[in-house]
Amino acid sequence: MNIDKLYRAYLALKVPNPFTLDDIDKRLKERYKAKEVDVNCFADLAKDPCANFKDAVKAYKFRDKAVIEEIFKFNDETGAFLGRNYLKNNLIIESKDGTYMSAATCQGGSGLLMCELRVFGGIEKEQQVVGNQDFEYYLKCLYLAGYIQFENDSYYEVACQRMRMNRDKSKIDIF
């Protein structure tokens, strides 16, 4: 597996860039069985200096056991153990314009949901160049979140294992 192969697959994708709030809603509910809840369930985020709760527009809880296992498949054992606390797997989406995600708070530390959030944010056309680290990170997130798939792909499980071992998820080093 290499970046050039991911790039060629990316060129054939029909994935939103960036995702609208409706696109995000559909993906979370269909793929992850997320349950939408009132954003005010997370009003404590107003005290969080890293969150802009005033911009919170959507909130989701993840409670399905199989989904919990899936969204924590990249986490190491410590993260996976913490992630199985069904009360803490939540995602709060912020939007400044009411159409696109401007930020998000992911409670529970899911590596897979972090990849999804990167995909939801999209990437500017002028940045879509192999060699650009941001674009290569975006391609890896597309692959890990399942948007890019290859027939008889034996490498995906290796990539998942490498993600579990890599403590710095901001720098996906799976190749």
Side-chain angles (χ1 to χ4, degrees), residues 87-149:
L87 301 177
K88 293 291 183 184
N89 297 296
N90 308 306
L91 184 61
I92 300 87
I93 305 290
E94 299 170 19
S95 176
K96 292 188 182 298
D97 65 7
T99 302
Y100 297 101
M101 178 185 76
S102 56
T105 300
C106 184
Q107 296 178 329
S110 164
L112 180 56
L113 288 180
M114 296 307 289
C115 286
E116 286 283 4
L117 290 173
R118 178 62 189 96
V119 171
F120 294 162
I123 189 159
E124 298 291 330
K125 190 76 170 164
E126 55 274 1
Q127 290 187 326
Q128 297 178 15
V129 179
V130 173
N132 176 329
Q133 288 184 336
D134 289 337
F135 181 55
E136 290 182 6
Y137 176 74
Y138 177 75
L139 292 175
K140 291 173 185 178
C141 286
L142 284 166
Y143 176 66
L144 291 168
Y147 295 91
I148 295 176
Q149 297 179 349

Side-chain angles (χ1 to χ4, degrees), residues 147-165:
Y147 295 91
I148 295 176
Q149 297 179 349
F150 301 103
E151 193 172 318
N152 301 318
D153 185 3
S154 61
Y155 188 75
Y156 186 78
E157 288 306 315
V158 172
C160 290
Q161 176 66 24
R162 288 186 178 175
M163 281 292 292
R164 281 189 290 275
M165 294 171 30

